[in-house]
């Protein structure tokens, strides 16, 4: 007997973990969990196999009047890049260097021609061709195949001799030292202003991928992509080297789709040329030295590490303008890059009508990659995703205008038809930021925020500028978050020079599940709520009375302030606007916020000036922020953050614990979320998040929501297909068609996301079936039935399992078989009770498989004991 | 031997076929080469243009559109810094400030891309409740935007609303501060319909892209987004502004029902806009630079009871020059295919976004303009890109001049007639399909009957109640409040009377039943085992033989 018990116990111990594994998931194929692929902070400088690194020694030399040579101290420079192969257009690669000459005269914007007035920068340009002198000229990289967006970056046109230092370049050929040079024959006809004696001109023409040469002497002789005010800011940069000789930049590469003239694609090799400017080397000067001889020998007027925000002139010999001059060009680091095959794309002539899904912008980046996987497969329908507010998408779906909605939380059912939610993607939002450290020390890479700081931003409790000081009740509040002692304590070492953009976080103007979750996060923060309800923070900052006691959570954030400042400004008198609302200026899409952050262009609309064109005083958007002084916050989707390389703030969970969006923290949040009933969304309780030290509060699941009844069967099949495809192949991380982009946590059959996977399949089945009884409004009896169903299922002593007994299987319409005993007594009133739904108990449901297993084992044991027991005993 | 040869042959054939598949795959997809195109301009049509841009990404087309106002769009195009522009109005030659408004010699063509209504959205509160069914005549609107009517209790407003008086509250008009096509459309309408009101205020005749301000309470804001923000803000009580209908639809905000010539107050829904534009006079002279531009006089005075008077088309300006310095074959192809998508399939989503699809004859004419891209560059492929291949259910393939939407557009409700109503229904909500029709009927039922149905819904399950609430987007509470009489309020509530809530599960139940189930299961599984064990224990005595 004892032995038998021990055996049972042993099996029990063995069976427990196995059952625990099996219980929540269907038969799991153990595919292993994907590596933590997505990290929100794109600054992973880990050297991958396709990275690049090279070291060179650079020396500036002068030949003296007597013919002897003077060499400056050398710099041994190492340049590395994190990724060089299979690139996509607009992808950013991290290029970093060390050992370079520290730069001076930092420009407020180092890109394109804005970066020309700097000294000793590192010029980085993208060029077509390979750096291999054995190749024919056409395939070789040369200054003529390097892209610049402006003329000033490549040609020197009609310069006085004080600005003609290149004619004394030690490494230049005699032809290159002529008064006019760069093209032979010189295009005098096309460039009438270039050959004007006694001025000096050096052209660096641009040769396009198709072989066309643009003389680059004036705007009419530049390739079409080089227009002023092009949609994309220039990518080429004159980057700053810090005092310790290091520097880095996220360089954006352009494929032939973005820049046809440059023409880099999967079979046209290209390079990124990194040219640390060490100063021109100069040839033997005339005696006495000419003005241009002296110009070549200049060493810079700005001290290392200084700024040149006024865009003053610099010494040409150490400026980035002459990167093409032979003694600069020979110092180049040539990083070969390759572009991936462009993904197959949908045919614009595809005769199939697209099927529109409407809703949450959180899905946008994934939908972009998913769409081609549908149109390219004839077995599938043509999927199309339409961004709009969750609520608008939901309404369209309920009214029949869209087959399905993409939402991130439970929405009120207004129509008659029940709606099923299928988890489709795990992603979320973050507080994106673009902040520069003071004194040209580079970008801030880690920012911490808590609920109260977010509450302060949203409630418009910062004053923005002195204009806000007159606001009743909060005149002593800090001007911006950068002046808030709470923020300073949390993020020490940042600038405290206030900007209006520091008084706000750029947010959405329309209702959104993102705002709902963000405000729920605030609602669960006691300090934040105390602040909102009128308690000053420990430093005496008070809530804007217009927002005092505002109820949270809420799906839309209203602009409640009414304060119009009194000023002497004519313009503001003529445009009496609510000042804080002009600062907040929310927009309609998350995409716009991401772009504003990318450009460091706050949407603050407080600029007020006279427009001579119309003779009116106008309000408008303030200017872009200068490099080195950027400070901007905005609510972005994790998909956009990953796509555009935006940084995301860490948010406080437990007191003192800050969590950023990573694969791990998203998974931890999913683990906390619960589904209350079948076909309904999972709920992430922010109260749970605040107890967790690992879950990211901005984690959100995007659901495909569709009607469970009265949806056209053809549409129902499409929705079911979409759910099944997006929860299988759509969850494979990658940048290819149909794959899951960065910024999303893959939903898998195993692990924490398994429950989402299961729920998605259940909902897909129910949407396809179009017969699910409403899950609402079941009565008490129905509940009982569900419970009884759980026990009543015949589980034979032999361990045979019959499916209908499992609670929550959902098939038997409980309304019918509810109570045959209850005779229809009240037939007269055609009262139709809402159909009941089976009630599932997660506890029983979870334990059932374990118990079944136990039962089976028990039977086996008894059997074994029966057979083996006598034998053993006999042997004794 | 033969067998082996055939096997080899088969292998070779299979291999070649496989190779063929591989070779064929990319070829099919990459037949057309695209290059990125860029444009600026109208914020009126920006919301749908941005969606089209997202859609064609799947086709490998990269399009960048940054808004900024129609004036900026035309200017950027003229300066050659963009590949296309979107504008509500054509180049004016000389603008109202006497400055050049031309393409600066760049060859171009206009083509309409989408229709829509310029809506008046407002914030007006009675107590704490937002008015959602304001009606105004054109004259009242013109007077509001020229500082002639300055208070919401003005008798003219009361009259428009059939005697319903609004509280004394200064009117704060919100206008655009940037050069805007929406402003141009609005002022064109005022200049044409109410010259005696508009011209003295403007100081001259004609339209303007920059709204003139003479002090007062008028607020000017840059871009449609900011106009919407200002009106929606808490300080916005009393404001009224003009934006494309999509903005209030997106923001779930009410719009003014504007009086049309037939004497009905109507909203700028996709139907009413389509009906109104059947009277748009389109320049049909293919040799004119103004080919396809609109003359809207007939739209303003369209006698159809469904017509929304301030409806218009939005235009794209495309470069047609052979030597256009910005254009290449790949760019022209991208522009052509982007337009092909926008004019065809893209029109299907106009309604949900608050616009109205183009009628087929304008789509057809648009294709004529696209053909100019091929004329400039014979390498542009326009094969099969025509209206017949359009995936658009609102097109009538047989009669190109026919606008299907205008046919199926529902008639306005009786309570929307001048001197009737007003209807209790809310405006500015996203509508689609039949929602409109239901809305008017549902709304007109003001008394107990509707309430009664709602009541039946209570017992009859969700299906019945659903019909009552099918307009879905209508918010009964706010819609009713305007009436200010308690009867309407109750009926509004009654419509939404929810069936008696029957709780399917209570948390207490759940865990109790859970444990019960566990116990029962445990018993079920373990009892047989114990039974067997018990049996075994009994067996020795039973058999007796064994020691």
């Amino acid at each position: 007997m004892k032995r038998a018990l021990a055996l049972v116990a042993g099996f029990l111990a063995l069976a427990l973990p196995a059952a625990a594994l099996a219980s929540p998931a269907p038969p799991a194929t153990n595919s292993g969990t994907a590596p933590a692929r997505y990290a929100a902070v794109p600054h992973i400088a880990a050297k991958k196999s396709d990275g690049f690194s090279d070291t060179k020694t650079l020396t500036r030399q002068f030949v003296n009047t007597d013919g002897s040579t003077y060499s400056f101290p050398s710099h041994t420079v190492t340049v590395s890049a994190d990724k060089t192969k299979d690139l996509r257009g607009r992808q950013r690669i991290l290029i970093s260097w060390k050992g370079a000459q520290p730069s001076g005269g930092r420009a407020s914007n180092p890109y394109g021609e804005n970066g020309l007035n700097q000294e000793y920068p590192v010029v980085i340009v993208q060029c077509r061709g390979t750096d291999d002198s054995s190749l024919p000229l056409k395939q070789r990289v040369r200054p003529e195949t390097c892209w610049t967006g402006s003329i000033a970056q490549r040609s020197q046109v009609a310069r006085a001799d004080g600005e003609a230092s290149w004619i004394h370049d030690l490494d230049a050929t005699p032809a290159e030292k002529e008064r006019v040079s760069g093209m032979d024959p010189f295009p005098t006809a096309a460039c009438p202003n270039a050959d004007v004696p006694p001025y000096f001109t050096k052209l660096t023409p641009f040769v396009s991928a198709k072989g066309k040469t643009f003389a680059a002497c004036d705007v009419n002789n530049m390739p079409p992509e080089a227009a002023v005010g092009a949609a994309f800011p220039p990518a080429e940069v004159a980057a700053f080297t810090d005092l310790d000789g290091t520097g880095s930049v996220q360089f954006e590469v352009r494929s032939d789709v973005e820049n046809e003239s440059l023409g880099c694609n999967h079979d046209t090799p290209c390079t990124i040329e990194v040219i640390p400017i060490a100063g021109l080397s100069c040839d033997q000067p005339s005696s006495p030295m000419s003005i241009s001889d002296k110009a070549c020998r200049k060493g810079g007027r700005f001290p290392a590490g200084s700024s040149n925000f006024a865009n003053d002139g610099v010494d040409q010999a150490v400026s980035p303008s002459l990167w093409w001059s032979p003694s600069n060009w020979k110092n180049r680091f040539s990083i070969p890059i390759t572009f991936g095959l462009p993904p197959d794309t949908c045919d614009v002539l595809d005769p199939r009508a697209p099927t529109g899904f409407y809703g949450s912008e959180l899905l946008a980046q994934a939908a972009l990659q998913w769409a081609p996987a549908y149109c390219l497969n004839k077995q599938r329908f043509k999927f199309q995703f339409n961004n709009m507010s969750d609520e608008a998408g939901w309404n369209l779906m309920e009214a029949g205008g869209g087959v399905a909605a993409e939402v991130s939380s439970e929405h009120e059912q207004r129509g008659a038809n029940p709606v099923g939610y299928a988890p489709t993607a795990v992603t979320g939002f973050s507080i994106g930021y673009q902040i520069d450290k003071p004194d040209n020390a580079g970008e801030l890479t880690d920012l911490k925020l808590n609920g109260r700081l977010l509450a302060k931003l949203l409630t418009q409790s910062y004053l923005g500028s002195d204009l806000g000081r007159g606001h009743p009740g909060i005149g002593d509040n800090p001007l911006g978050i950068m002046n808030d002692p709470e923020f300073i304590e949390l993020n020490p070492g940042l600038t405290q020079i206030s900007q209006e953009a520091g008084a706000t976080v750029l947010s959405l103007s329309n209702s959104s599940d993102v705002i709902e979750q963000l405000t729920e996060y605030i609602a669960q923060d006691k300090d934040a709520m105390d602040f909102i309800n009128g308690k000053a923070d420990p430093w005496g900052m008070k809530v804007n009375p217009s927002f005092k006691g505002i109820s949270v959570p809420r799906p839309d954030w209203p602009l409640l302030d009414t304060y119009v400042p009194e000023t002497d400004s004519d313009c503001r008198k003529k445009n009496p606007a609510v000042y804080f609302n002009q600062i907040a200026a929310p927009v309609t899409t998350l995409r716009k916020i991401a772009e504003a952050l990318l450009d460091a262009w706050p949407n603050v609309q407080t600029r007020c000036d006279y427009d001579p064109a119309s003779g009116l005083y106008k309000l408008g958007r303030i200017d872009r922020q200068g490099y080195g002084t950027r400070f901007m916050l905005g609510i972005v989707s994790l998909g956009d953050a990953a796509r555009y390389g935006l940084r995301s703030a860490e948010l406080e969970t437990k007191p003192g614990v800050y969590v950023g969006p990573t694969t791990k923290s998203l998974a931890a949040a999913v683990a906390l979320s619960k589904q209350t009933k079948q076909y309904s969304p999972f709920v992430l309780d922010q109260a749970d998040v605040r107890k967790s030290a690992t879950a990211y509060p901005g984690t959100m699941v995007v659901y495909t929501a569709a009607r469970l009844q009265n949806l056209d069967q053809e549409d129902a099949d499409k929705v079911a297909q979409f759910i099944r495809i997006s929860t299988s192949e759509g969850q494979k991380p990658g940048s290819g068609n149909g794959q899951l982009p960065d910024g999303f946590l893959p939903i898998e059959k195993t692990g924490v996301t398994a429950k989402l996977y299961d729920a998605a399949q259940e909902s897909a089945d129910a949407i396809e079936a179009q017969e699910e009884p409403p899950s609402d409004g079941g009565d008490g009896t129905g509940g009982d039935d569900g419970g009884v169903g759980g026990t009543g299922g015949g589980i034979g002593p032999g361990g045979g399992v019959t499916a209908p007994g499992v609670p929550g299987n959902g098939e038997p319409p409980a309304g019918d078989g509810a109570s045959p005993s209850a005779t229809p007594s009240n037939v007269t009133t055609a009262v139709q009770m809402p159909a009941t739904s089976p009630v599932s108990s997660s506890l029983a449901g979870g334990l059932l498989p374990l118990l079944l297993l136990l039962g089976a084992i028990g039977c086996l044991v008894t059997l074994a004991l029966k057979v083996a027991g006598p034998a053993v005993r006999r042997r004794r | 031997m033969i067998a082996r040869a055939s096997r080899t042959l088969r292998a070779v054939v299979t291999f070649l076929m496989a190779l063929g598949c591989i070779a064929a795959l990319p070829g099919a997809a990459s037949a057309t080469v695209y290059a990125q195109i860029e444009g600026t301009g109208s914020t009126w049509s920006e919301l749908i243009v941005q969606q089209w841009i997202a859609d064609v990404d799947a086709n490998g087309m990269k399009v960048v559109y940054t808004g900024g106002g129609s004036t900026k769009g035309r200017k950027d195009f003229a300066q050659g810094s963009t590949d296309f522009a979107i504008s509500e109005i054509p180049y004016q030659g000389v603008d109202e400030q006497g400055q050049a408004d031309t393409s600066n010699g760049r060859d171009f063509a206009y083509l309409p891309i989408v229709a829509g209504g310029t809506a008046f959205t407002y914030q007006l509160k009675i107590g704490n409740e937002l008015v959602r069914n304001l009606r105004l005549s054109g004259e009242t609107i013109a007077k509001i935007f020229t500082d002639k009517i300055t208070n919401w209790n003005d008798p003219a407003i009361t009259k428009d609303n059939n005697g319903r008086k609004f509280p004394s509250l200064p009117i704060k008009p919100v206008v655009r501060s940037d050069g805007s096509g929406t402003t141009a459309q609005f002022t064109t309408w005022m200049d044409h319909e109410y010259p005696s009101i508009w011209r003295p205020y403007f100081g001259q005749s004609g339209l303007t892209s920059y709204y003139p301000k003479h002090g007062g309470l008028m607020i000017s804001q840059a871009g449609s987004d900011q106009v919407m923000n200002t009106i929606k803000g808490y300080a916005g009580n009393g404001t009224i502004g003009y934006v494309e209908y999509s903005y209030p639809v997106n923001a779930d905000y009410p719009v003014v029902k504007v009086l049309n010539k037939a004497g009905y107050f109507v909203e700028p829904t996709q139907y009413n806009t389509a009906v109104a534009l059947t009277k748009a006079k389109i320049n049909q002279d293919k040799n004119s630079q103004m080919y396809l531009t609109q003359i809207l006089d007939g739209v303003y005075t369209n006698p159809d009871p469904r017509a929304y008077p301030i409806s218009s088309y939005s235009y794209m300006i495309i470069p047609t020059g052979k030597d256009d310095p910005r254009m290449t074959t790949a760019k022209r192809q991208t522009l052509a295919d982007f337009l092909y998508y926008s004019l065809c399939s893209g029109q299907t989503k106009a309604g949900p976004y608050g616009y109205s699809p183009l009628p087929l004859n304008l789509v057809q004419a648009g294709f004529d303009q696209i053909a100019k891209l091929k004329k400039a560059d014979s390498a542009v492929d326009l094969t099969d890109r025509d209206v017949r291949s359009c995936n658009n259910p609102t097109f009538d393939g047989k009669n190109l001049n026919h606008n299907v939407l205008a046919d199926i557009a529902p008639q306005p409700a009786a309570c929307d007639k001048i001197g009737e109503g007003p209807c209790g229904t809310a405006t500015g909500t996203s509508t689609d399909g039949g929602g409109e029709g239901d809305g008017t009927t549902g709304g007109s039922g003001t008394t107990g009957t509707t309430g009664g149905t709602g009541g039946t819904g209570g017992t009859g399950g969700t299906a019945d109640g659903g019909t009552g609430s099918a307009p879905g987007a209508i918010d009964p509470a706010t819609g009713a409040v305007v009436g200010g009489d308690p009867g309407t309020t109750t009926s509004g509530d009654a419509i939404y009377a929810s069936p008696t809530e029957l709780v399917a599960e209570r948390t207490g139940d759940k865990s109790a039943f859970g444990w019960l189930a566990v116990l029962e299961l445990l018993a079920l599984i373990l009892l047989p085992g114990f039974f067997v064990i018990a049996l075994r224990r009994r067996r020795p005595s039973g058999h007796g033989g064994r020691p």
Side-chain angles (χ1 to χ4, degrees), chain A residues 711-731:
Chain A
L711 181 61
D712 180 52
Q713 189 58 49
E714 202 180 316
D715 288 336
D717 292 346
K718 287 174 181 172
V719 176
Q721 184 185 50
F722 172 73
I723 296 168
R724 288 179 189 131
I725 292 171
S726 37
T727 50
S728 53
E729 71 168 64
Q731 298 295 328

Side-chain angles (χ1 to χ4, degrees), chain A residues 514-592:
Chain A
V514 167
I515 302 298
E516 174 104 38
Q517 180 144 338
L518 174 63
T519 49
E520 167 72 18
Y521 167 71
I522 290 172
Q524 293 298 336
D525 185 321
K526 191 178 169 300
D527 288 345
M529 289 315 290
D530 284 350
F531 177 80
I532 287 176
N533 291 328
K535 192 179 158 200
D537 80 354
W539 299 271
M541 179 170 171
K542 294 194 213 104
V543 70
N544 181 343
S546 310
F547 286 88
K548 187 175 168 186
I550 186 173
S551 77
V552 282
R554 56 190 310 135
D556 63 326
W557 191 262
L559 298 174
L560 294 180
D561 203 53
T562 56
Y563 169 69
V564 180
E566 282 180 21
T567 72
D568 293 332
S569 150
D570 268 353
C571 185
R572 286 185 207 284
K573 276 185 192 162
K574 293 218 158 87
N575 290 285
V578 177
Y579 179 62
F580 287 175
N581 292 354
Q582 299 297 109
I583 290 179
V587 293
T588 41
T589 59
L590 293 170
R591 167 79 184 268
K592 279 191 177 172

Side-chain angles (χ1 to χ4, degrees), chain A residues 120-375:
Chain A
Y120 300 108
V122 173
V123 174
I124 306 176
V125 287
Q126 186 181 346
C127 312
R128 186 182 61 255
T130 311
D131 200 359
D132 181 350
S133 52
S134 67
L135 289 170
L137 185 68
K138 269 186 97 169
Q139 298 169 24
R140 231 185 287 162
V141 63
R142 12 179 213 133
E144 287 83 358
T145 65
C146 292
W147 177 262
T148 65
S150 72
I151 302 153
Q153 285 170 270
R154 52 192 318 124
S155 293
Q156 296 289 323
V157 179
R159 298 284 176 210
D161 51 2
E163 289 174 308
S165 50
W166 72 87
I167 61 169
H168 298 293
D169 191 313
L170 180 60
D171 298 297
T173 62
E176 287 168 329
K177 295 181 180 181
E178 293 292 320
R179 187 181 60 81
V180 291
S181 64
M183 282 180 87
D184 190 22
F186 194 80
T188 318
C191 304
N193 301 322
D195 185 0
V196 187
Y199 297 112
F200 296 82
T201 291
K202 155 77 194 202
L203 301 181
T204 306
F206 179 77
V207 179
S208 78
K210 291 202 172 118
K212 186 171 177 193
T213 301
F214 298 87
C217 55
D218 57 31
V219 283
N220 299 322
N221 287 284
M222 283 292 279
E225 289 85 352
V228 182
F232 291 159
E236 68 275 7
V237 58
F240 207 74
T241 303
D242 291 337
L243 290 171
D244 59 1
T246 65
S248 71
V249 69
Q250 295 267 0
F251 186 80
E252 185 180 300
V253 294
R254 303 271 159 94
S255 71
D256 61 346
V257 172
E258 289 88 23
N259 191 331
E260 200 187 357
S261 297
L262 180 58
C264 296
N265 60 26
H266 60 280
D267 50 31
T268 307
C270 284
T271 58
I272 295 168
E273 299 297 329
V274 180
I275 307 159
I277 301 295
L280 285 186
S281 293
C282 304
D283 60 8
Q284 191 172 4
S286 51
S287 183
M289 276 198 206
S290 67
I291 298 174
S292 50
D293 277 325
K294 284 179 188 155
C296 185
R297 285 168 161 73
K298 286 198 173 166
R301 57 212 288 186
F302 285 92
S306 63
S307 293
N308 179 19
F309 293 161
N311 214 16
D312 293 332
V314 295
D315 284 346
Q316 191 190 39
V318 294
S319 82
S321 312
L322 307 183
W323 57 270
W324 39 263
S325 197
S327 63
N328 277 329
W329 181 246
K330 74 168 182 194
N331 288 343
R332 69 188 183 273
F333 291 78
S334 208
I335 306 174
I337 53 170
T338 60
F339 282 84
L341 259 171
D344 285 347
T345 54
C346 307
D347 186 354
V348 75
L349 291 173
D350 189 335
R352 291 172 295 170
T355 303
F357 287 50
Y358 292 84
S360 174
E361 202 186 345
L362 291 177
L363 196 65
Q365 291 294 344
L368 280 183
Q369 282 191 192
W370 286 349
Y374 288 82
C375 70

Side-chain angles (χ1 to χ4, degrees), chain B residues 161-176:
Chain B
N161 290 278
N162 200 25
R164 171 156 308 144
K165 204 169 156 79
F166 294 104
S168 169
L169 180 73
I171 300 178
K172 289 182 267 184
V174 184
V175 300
R176 288 277 292 277

Side-chain angles (χ1 to χ4, degrees), chain A residues 63-83:
Chain A
V63 177
N64 295 325
T65 326
D66 59 5
S68 63
T69 302
Y70 172 77
S71 294
F72 284 81
S74 295
H75 291 281
T76 302
V77 183
T78 302
V79 171
S80 40
D82 67 339
K83 185 164 172 42

Side-chain angles (χ1 to χ4, degrees), chain B residues 251-264:
Chain B
D252 197 17
Y253 229 67
V255 298
V256 170
K257 286 185 177 178
V258 178
L259 183 65
N260 63 19
K261 275 288 170 268
Y264 283 90

Side-chain angles (χ1 to χ4, degrees), chain A residues 451-761:
Chain A
R452 183 161 61 197
L453 285 168
L454 286 171
K456 288 172 176 176
L457 289 165
L458 285 173
T459 56
Q460 308 186 331
S461 298
Y462 295 111
L463 302 176
S465 74
D466 287 337
L467 280 174
R469 288 227 186 267
H471 193 293
I474 50 171
D476 294 329
N477 279 0
L479 294 184
I481 195 169
M482 62 280 269
N483 312 109
D484 183 347
E486 180 175 17
F487 179 79
I488 295 168
E489 197 175 283
L490 204 54
N491 298 284
L494 293 178
T495 179
Q496 292 177 28
I497 301 167
S498 34
Q499 296 186 44
E500 283 172 320
T504 190
V505 53
L506 186 52
S507 174
L508 288 172
S509 58
N510 295 333
S511 94
S512 166
D513 289 348
V514 167
I515 302 298
E516 174 104 38
Q517 180 144 338
L518 174 63
T519 49
E520 167 72 18
Y521 167 71
I522 290 172
Q524 293 298 336
D525 185 321
K526 191 178 169 300
D527 288 345
M529 289 315 290
D530 284 350
F531 177 80
I532 287 176
N533 291 328
K535 192 179 158 200
D537 80 354
W539 299 271
M541 179 170 171
K542 294 194 213 104
V543 70
N544 181 343
S546 310
F547 286 88
K548 187 175 168 186
I550 186 173
S551 77
V552 282
R554 56 190 310 135
D556 63 326
W557 191 262
L559 298 174
L560 294 180
D561 203 53
T562 56
Y563 169 69
V564 180
E566 282 180 21
T567 72
D568 293 332
S569 150
D570 268 353
C571 185
R572 286 185 207 284
K573 276 185 192 162
K574 293 218 158 87
N575 290 285
V578 177
Y579 179 62
F580 287 175
N581 292 354
Q582 299 297 109
I583 290 179
V587 293
T588 41
T589 59
L590 293 170
R591 167 79 184 268
K592 279 191 177 172
I593 302 175
E595 283 171 354
L597 276 170
L598 200 59
D599 298 341
W601 193 7
N603 197 42
V604 173
Q605 304 277 343
T606 54
R607 179 189 185 142
C608 200
D609 47 25
Y610 181 74
D611 176 33
S614 59
L616 296 168
Y617 285 103
K618 299 198 311 186
L619 278 174
R621 189 174 180 181
I622 60 169
D623 285 330
R624 285 177 200 222
Q625 295 175 331
Y627 283 74
T629 59
R630 292 173 296 178
F631 195 109
M632 189 187 161
L633 303 168
I635 298 166
V636 294
S637 73
L638 292 182
D640 283 349
R643 177 76 181 87
Y644 299 117
L646 301 171
R647 299 183 205 283
S648 296
E650 295 176 352
L651 300 179
E652 188 181 46
T653 55
K654 268 183 175 174
V657 177
Y658 294 82
V659 181
T662 59
T663 316
K664 240 174 125 178
S665 66
L666 292 187
V670 169
L672 293 177
S673 66
K674 296 177 202 89
Q675 189 181 29
T676 48
K677 55 178 189 278
Q678 206 180 18
Y679 312 135
S680 73
F682 287 74
V683 176
L684 174 60
D685 189 343
Q686 291 289 338
D688 294 342
V689 174
R690 289 202 69 84
K691 286 180 215 136
S692 151
T694 51
Y696 178 63
T699 310
M700 296 177 77
V701 178
V702 181
Y703 302 90
T704 301
R707 294 186 293 181
L708 295 173
Q709 281 171 355
N710 298 324
L711 181 61
D712 180 52
Q713 189 58 49
E714 202 180 316
D715 288 336
D717 292 346
K718 287 174 181 172
V719 176
Q721 184 185 50
F722 172 73
I723 296 168
R724 288 179 189 131
I725 292 171
S726 37
T727 50
S728 53
E729 71 168 64
Q731 298 295 328
K732 184 170 172 272
S735 57
N737 282 346
Q739 295 179 330
L740 191 71
D742 284 355
F744 292 80
L745 173 74
I747 296 176
E748 288 166 334
K749 288 184 191 172
T750 55
V752 285
T753 51
K755 59 188 177 189
L756 300 182
Y757 177 85
D758 295 343
Q761 310 314 314

